[in-house]
Amino acid sequence: GAVVSQHPSWVICKSGTSVKIECRSLDFQATTMFWYRQFPKQSLMLMATSNEGSKATYEQGVEKDKFLINHASLTLSTLTVTSAHPEDSSFYICSARRGGGGTYEQYFGPGTRLTVT
Amino acid sequence: SQKIEQNSEALNIQEGKTATLTCNYTNYSPAYLQWYRQDPGRGPVFLLLIRENEKEKRKERLKVTFDTTLKQSLFHITASQPADSATYLCALASGGSYIPTFGRGTSLIVHP
């Protein structure tokens, strides 16, 4: 159990366009989902935390108007990179956490490689 | 400022030996610490969680120790195999939000 999927696994887009990445928890309900980005040989940097039905909480330095997050249901969160630029090229990873029970394990998706040309 | 330090140099060991990875932290009072495995181009996979009041946790060939006085966690893989080759990340979370912060990870290479 505890499988998280991401779609697409990779995407190439032109500068100025928008890209949407989906994150789904396949076999559990995720009250909280997280979005990270990771540059080569760097640690995961948390971008935002979202709770189902609420607005996302963004980390300092992350532009909320550029990285739109929607957590519409207990199994789906989306990240939209608006007006993408080459510096947005990165590996984007989502994770999901079950609610309640005092368990804090996070289950990660396989990641989405975004390349902006 | 809060820091999580993992050895940036790759750890190279022979198959069958025990691999030991280190995670040190400063300016942190973690409620728990986690270890993850990450393969190239993939998302991290959860391995073990150890709470602040626990000294040691085991799972099959994996063992984690947590010393809140030394501010250090050690991650051991016994009888290592080439398939264990990956990057291992430690992550700490404080009470309240319990949102973990990740270290950069240490690459482990197990040679046959």
Side-chain angles (χ1 to χ4, degrees):
Chain A
V3 178
V4 176
S5 70
Q6 265 183 258
H7 178 81
S9 54
W10 59 270
V11 57
I12 300 172
C13 70
K14 289 191 191 291
S15 190
T17 61
S18 295
V19 172
K20 181 187 278 191
I21 302 170
E22 287 189 354
C23 176
R24 292 181 186 272
S25 56
L26 298 185
D27 52 1
F28 67 100
Q29 293 188 326
T31 53
T32 306
M33 286 185 165
F34 306 87
W35 286 95
Y36 295 84
R37 63 190 294 181
Q38 187 179 34
F39 293 106
K41 300 203 183 295
Q42 298 294 314
S43 67
L44 281 76
M45 297 302 298
L46 180 65
M47 298 174 68
T49 303
S50 74
N51 292 294
E52 183 262 341
S54 304
K55 286 186 179 178
T57 301
Y58 290 80
E59 295 299 299
Q60 196 171 6
V62 178
E63 298 174 57
K64 62 177 72 171
D65 294 330
K66 180 167 185 62
F67 298 100
L68 301 178
I69 290 170
N70 186 298
H71 192 161
S73 75
L74 284 171
T75 59
L76 173 65
S77 177
T78 60
L79 167 68
T80 302
V81 183
T82 62
S83 188
H85 288 105
E87 56 265 31
D88 298 323
S89 299
S90 188
F91 191 50
Y92 291 86
I93 312 173
C94 74
S95 72
R97 192 160 74 188
R98 297 181 210 257
T103 178
Y104 305 109
E105 294 163 17
Q106 283 182 254
Y107 302 95
F108 284 83
T112 297
R113 173 76 56 193
L114 170 63
T115 303
V116 184
T117 60
Chain B
S1 61
Q2 294 175 333
K3 263 190 184 177
I4 301 170
E5 293 177 352
Q6 292 186 258
N7 198 337
S8 58
E9 287 183 22
L11 176 63
N12 286 271
I13 64 167
Q14 283 300 122
E15 183 175 9
K17 300 291 186 187
T18 296
T20 298
L21 305 174
T22 305
C23 175
N24 293 301
Y25 60 92
T26 54
N27 297 324
Y28 232 116
S29 295
Y32 62 88
L33 184 148
Q34 299 172 310
W35 283 89
Y36 290 81
R37 167 184 174 140
Q38 187 175 24
D39 290 284
R42 307 290 295 173
V45 174
F46 170 78
L47 296 175
L48 280 167
L49 178 151
I50 186 164
R51 299 183 191 278
E52 60 178 331
N53 59 350
E54 297 175 314
K55 296 280 189 216
E56 184 180 296
K57 214 66 171 295
R58 290 175 186 259
K59 180 181 173 184
E60 297 172 354
R61 293 186 295 115
L62 309 180
K63 184 177 89 171
V64 171
T65 62
F66 194 11
D67 189 327
T68 54
T69 301
L70 288 179
K71 297 187 185 300
Q72 181 182 80
S73 174
L74 298 178
F75 176 77
H76 307 273
I77 305 176
T78 58
S80 60
Q81 304 163 1
D84 295 326
S85 299
T87 296
Y88 291 85
L89 309 170
C90 84
L92 279 75
S94 298
S97 65
Y98 295 100
I99 297 174
T101 301
F102 286 81
R104 283 192 182 187
T106 299
S107 174
L108 171 66
I109 303 169
V110 182
H111 299 275

